[in-house]
């Protein structure tokens, strides 16, 4: 509800940080764009092809990057070490974002340790490498009254992160592609989380 209230309100200029590559605070619609995947898409049969045209259009979604860790004071501010953005008129923003963010972070730690044990590796093989990482909470928002049906809010892409975790969306439209090229609709049950590994 907090994200919905933020995205439906007036965004302030101080919430935008283009000088840090929009890696903190608000990223407006039309900024992010997926990489081109023409060659990969050609390998899919017609029923499994993504609807994202190639080259892809800019995403029609908003995003807010919230860093779970404070910037490292021993390093200069940059896209990989940006300041945090606290939107005005949201006095409990930090508390709420950190609570949700660290709950999701803890879930990724648990899953990474389960994966290690399942692969016959020491339990902390992956989780130890996640310590002090640049963990981000990045809720998205889209104005569904502004765009036509079929608009691409997030183009066909793969994630670079070790693990990406999603909560349940209010609206459908997220698809994943299995290793065999099959397209599948994502449906997260109430109280559930979706985790995916990066490439």
């Amino acid at each position: 509800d907090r994200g919905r209230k933020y995205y439906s309100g007036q965004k302030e200029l101080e919430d935008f940080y283009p000088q840090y590559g929009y890696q903190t605070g608000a990223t407006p619609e039309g900024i992010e764009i997926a990489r081109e995947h023409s060659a990969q898409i050609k390998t899919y049969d017609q029923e499994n092809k993504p609807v994202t045209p190639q080259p892809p259009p800019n995403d029609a979604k908003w995003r807010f990057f919230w860093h779970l860790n404070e910037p490292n004071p021993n390093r200069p501010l940059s896209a990989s070490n940006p300041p945090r953005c606290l939107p005005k008129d949201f006095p409990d923003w930090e508390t709420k974002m950190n609570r949700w963010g660290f709950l999701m972070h803890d879930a990724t730690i648990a899953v990474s340790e389960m994966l290690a044990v399942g692969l016959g590796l020491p339990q902390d093989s992956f989780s130890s490498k996640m310590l002090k990482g640049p963990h981000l909470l990045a809720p998205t928002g889209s104005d569904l009254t502004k765009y036509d049906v079929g608009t691409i809010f997030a183009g066909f892409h793969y994630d670079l992160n070790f693990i990406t975790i999603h909560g349940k969306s209010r609206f459908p439209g997220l698809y994943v592609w299995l290793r065999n090229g099959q397209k599948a609709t994502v449906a997260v049950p109430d109280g559930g989380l979706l985790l995916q590994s990066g490439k």
Side-chain angles (χ1 to χ4, degrees):
D1 289 338
R2 180 160 280 85
R4 197 173 195 179
K5 181 181 177 185
Y6 176 79
Y7 289 123
S8 64
Q10 178 66 43
K11 268 68 75 182
E12 302 295 332
L13 202 55
E14 57 262 31
D15 292 353
F16 302 106
Y17 289 84
Q19 68 272 36
Y20 297 118
Y22 292 101
Q23 293 301 298
T24 187
T27 304
E29 60 195 4
I31 296 292
E32 291 189 287
I33 186 169
R35 293 179 176 164
E36 185 167 340
H37 294 287
S38 301
Q40 177 70 36
I41 290 171
K42 285 178 183 173
T43 67
Y44 297 150
D45 58 39
Q46 195 58 41
E47 68 178 289
N48 290 305
K49 285 189 186 300
V51 296
T52 306
Q54 298 296 308
N58 291 53
D59 290 350
K61 72 176 184 303
W62 282 77
R63 193 194 299 259
F64 194 101
F65 283 105
W66 175 256
H67 289 258
L68 296 182
N69 306 316
E70 294 280 359
N72 184 336
N74 300 316
R75 290 176 48 212
L77 293 175
S78 66
S80 61
N81 188 48
R84 278 178 163 177
C85 172
L86 284 167
K88 71 178 192 179
D89 300 326
F90 290 85
D92 60 350
W93 185 271
E94 182 173 12
T95 302
K96 299 291 186 179
M97 294 292 271
N98 280 344
R99 176 165 160 62
W100 181 229
F102 280 111
L103 285 170
M104 296 181 92
H105 174 267
D106 291 349
T108 64
I109 294 289
V111 168
S112 71
E113 293 186 345
M114 292 167 62
L115 174 63
V117 170
L119 293 173
L121 300 171
Q123 181 174 329
D124 68 346
S125 293
F126 303 121
S127 60
S128 62
K129 293 171 178 57
M130 297 166 67
L131 298 175
K132 298 186 180 179
H135 303 294
L136 287 170
L137 187 62
T140 60
S142 304
D143 186 348
L144 302 182
T145 66
K146 183 176 177 180
Y147 295 100
D148 295 330
V149 172
T151 297
I152 307 297
F153 288 100
F156 177 77
H157 67 279
Y158 59 81
D159 287 350
L160 301 172
N161 306 313
F162 171 52
I163 296 179
T164 298
I165 184 168
H166 303 264
K168 183 179 178 70
S169 175
R170 292 180 184 270
F171 302 97
L174 180 61
Y175 295 91
V176 296
W177 278 260
L178 308 180
R179 289 184 185 208
N180 64 3
Q182 180 182 348
K183 179 180 175 181
T185 304
V186 174
V188 180
D190 289 340
L193 295 166
L194 166 69
L195 285 87
Q196 64 190 66
S197 60
K199 184 173 179 177

